Amino acid sequence: MRLSVLDLTPVRTDQSTSNALAATMRLAKVADELAYTRYWVAEHHNIPSVAATSPAVLTAMIAAATSRIRVGSGGVMLPNHAPLAVAEQFALLEAAHPGRIDLGIGRASGADPVASAVLRGATGRGDRDIDDFPDNLADLIALLTTAGVSVQLADRSYVLRSTPHAVTRPRVFVLGSSMQSAQVAAAQGLPYVFGHHLFGEHTDEALTYYRSQFVPSELAAEPAAFLTVNTAVAETHDEATALILPYLRLQAQTATGQPPGRLELVEDAEQAALTPQQHRVAQGELSRAVVGTPAEALTQLRELADRFGVDELMLNPVASARRGTDPASTPGRESTLRLLADAASAK
C-alpha cells in the first residue's frame, strides 16, 4: 500500500497566507524525507481557509524544494483554464523536474458561483466547459505530446505544442467524486483518483464502473485507481480527535450555510457548539476520515485499501494546531505523516 499526500494549504486563524505557505513547504519536505509517493496541491478560489489557488505555482515551489517525491496538482480545475495554458504550465514543470510531475485534472470549478463566473469570464469561457470537459481533456493530453495538435486553418495547417521539444511529459490523472468523472477516466484510459474525502457514498460504484469500462490507452494499459482520505493521527486517540475537530466544525458550518472562515485552533473549536444539523454533518465527515493512533490509523487505511481494491491512498492531513504554535508551522499535520510512516515501516 503506497501513501501520498494531498495538501489544500489550509489557513488557520493564527496564520497569514505567508504563514500557511511556509507550513506547506515544511510539510512537503517532511513527505519527501519520509518517502511518500507523491505530493499534490489543490485548486480552490475565494475560500478563507484555503490558500491553494494556483496548482502550477505551488507545484513549482514544492518541486524546487524537494528532491525525490512526485509533485503535482490535485487538481487543476479544467473549466477555469484553456487547455493550452495548462499544458504549457505542466510541460514546463516537467522539463524542469523530469519524471516528477503529475497533472491531476478535475471537471468542477473549485469555487463558488460568483468566483467561477469571474474566472471563466476573464477568458470568455462559460458553464459549457463542464460539458466539454472530455474534449478539452483530450486536447490537453494531445498538446503535451511531441507531435502537438494540428489545427486546420482555411489556407494551411497550424501546429500547436505545449513546449518546443518535450522529452518526457507529466503523468495525467482524472480526479472526481462522481460517476461522470469515472466515465471520462475509463473512456480515455487514464488513472482515476476518487475524492473519497469529499463524498464517500459513491466510491464503490464509481470505481466499479471505472474498472469495468476502462479502455486501455497509451497512457495506461490497465485501470489504476486510488482514493483521497482525510487523516489526523496523534500519539493518543483523544488527541487525534481533538486535532480534527476544527476541520469538522468548518465543514459543518459551510454545509449549513454559514459564511466560511479560517480553520480554528483546537481550543477555540472545543469551546464552541454545533447545532444538531451541524453535528450530523460533522459526524458524517468523521465517519469517512482516518483518525486515531498510528496503529489505529494504519489499520483503517489498510481496510480502506482492501475494501476498494486500491494500492495507493492519498492522505489529506487535516489536523489543526493548538494555541501558541508557530504560525509558520503545522505540527499536527507533520506528525500525522511521521507517525504513519513510522508505523508502516515497523510492520
Side-chain angles (χ1 to χ4, degrees):
M1 179 180 66
R2 297 189 302 273
L3 297 178
S4 294
V5 182
L6 172 65
D7 185 5
L8 276 62
T9 311
V11 186
R12 304 189 307 259
T13 53
D14 64 332
Q15 289 180 311
S16 65
T17 303
S18 295
N19 295 149
L21 288 171
T24 273
M25 298 304 291
R26 287 179 55 153
L27 188 66
K29 291 175 182 177
V30 168
D32 191 36
E33 165 199 330
L34 295 173
Y36 279 79
T37 302
R38 63 189 91 243
Y39 194 100
W40 283 5
V41 291
E43 177 183 349
H44 291 282
H45 301 279
N46 201 37
I47 300 177
S49 62
V50 177
T53 57
S54 177
V57 172
L58 275 174
T59 296
M61 294 166 57
I62 293 167
T66 54
S67 60
R68 178 208 56 82
I69 196 167
R70 294 190 67 91
V71 185
S73 59
V76 168
M77 301 295 105
L78 193 54
N80 299 336
H81 311 280
L84 177 59
V86 177
E88 287 179 332
Q89 291 164 2
F90 280 80
L92 199 60
L93 287 166
E94 176 67 20
H97 306 280
R100 291 184 57 208
I101 301 300
D102 291 336
L103 173 53
I105 296 288
R107 64 184 291 275
S109 66
D112 61 71
V114 175
S116 295
V118 172
L119 281 165
R120 298 175 198 169
T123 55
R125 299 165 66 80
D127 285 341
R128 62 179 174 78
D129 289 295
I130 293 179
D131 297 329
D132 292 341
F133 175 72
D135 292 336
N136 289 334
L137 176 61
D139 288 343
L140 188 160
I141 292 170
L143 285 162
L144 288 169
T145 65
T146 54
V149 173
S150 180
V151 179
Q152 188 61 47
L153 303 179
D155 58 342
R156 61 191 173 98
S157 292
Y158 186 87
V159 178
L160 283 173
R161 295 186 179 88
S162 61
T163 188
H165 183 60
V167 177
T168 60
R169 51 181 166 169
R171 190 178 185 194
V172 181
F173 299 75
V174 173
L175 281 63
S177 54
S178 68
M179 288 301 297
Q180 290 93 329
S181 57
Q183 290 164 3
V184 172
Q188 299 201 20
L190 294 169
Y192 180 48
V193 184
F194 188 85
H196 184 74
H197 74 293
L198 296 172
F199 301 104
E201 295 84 357
H202 304 296
T203 305
D204 190 57
E205 180 186 10
L207 292 181
T208 298
Y209 178 92
Y210 166 71
R211 293 182 177 116
S212 66
Q213 300 299 313
F214 183 84
V215 178
S217 72
E218 178 191 357
L219 299 179
E222 57 187 23
F226 57 91
L227 307 179
T228 58
V229 57
N230 292 329
T231 311
V233 183
E235 294 285 1
T236 68
H237 186 92
D238 287 347
E239 179 63 7
T241 303
L243 289 172
I244 199 175
L245 180 59
Y247 175 82
L248 298 178
R249 275 182 45 78
L250 181 62
Q251 296 304 110
Q253 290 168 335
T254 302
T256 54
Q258 289 192 15
R262 287 179 290 168
L263 187 69
E264 295 172 320
L265 295 171
V266 170
E267 292 86 350
D268 296 327
E270 289 176 330
Q271 293 173 9
L274 292 174
T275 68
Q277 183 184 9
Q278 290 171 343
H279 180 74
R280 287 193 293 273
V281 172
Q283 288 302 113
E285 292 283 344
L286 185 60
S287 70
R288 291 195 303 274
V290 167
V291 183
T293 65
E296 291 170 340
L298 192 60
T299 296
Q300 293 171 50
L301 289 171
R302 286 180 170 152
E303 288 174 350
L304 267 178
D306 291 343
R307 176 184 172 190
F308 295 112
V310 297
D311 60 5
E312 182 171 342
L313 293 168
M314 178 162 274
L315 315 179
N316 177 23
V318 292
S320 186
R322 292 190 175 274
R323 193 170 290 120
T325 297
D326 176 1
S329 71
T330 181
R333 298 202 297 148
E334 289 180 20
S335 62
T336 289
L337 299 191
R338 289 191 186 280
L339 290 170
L340 267 178
D342 290 346
S345 64
K347 292 290 184 179

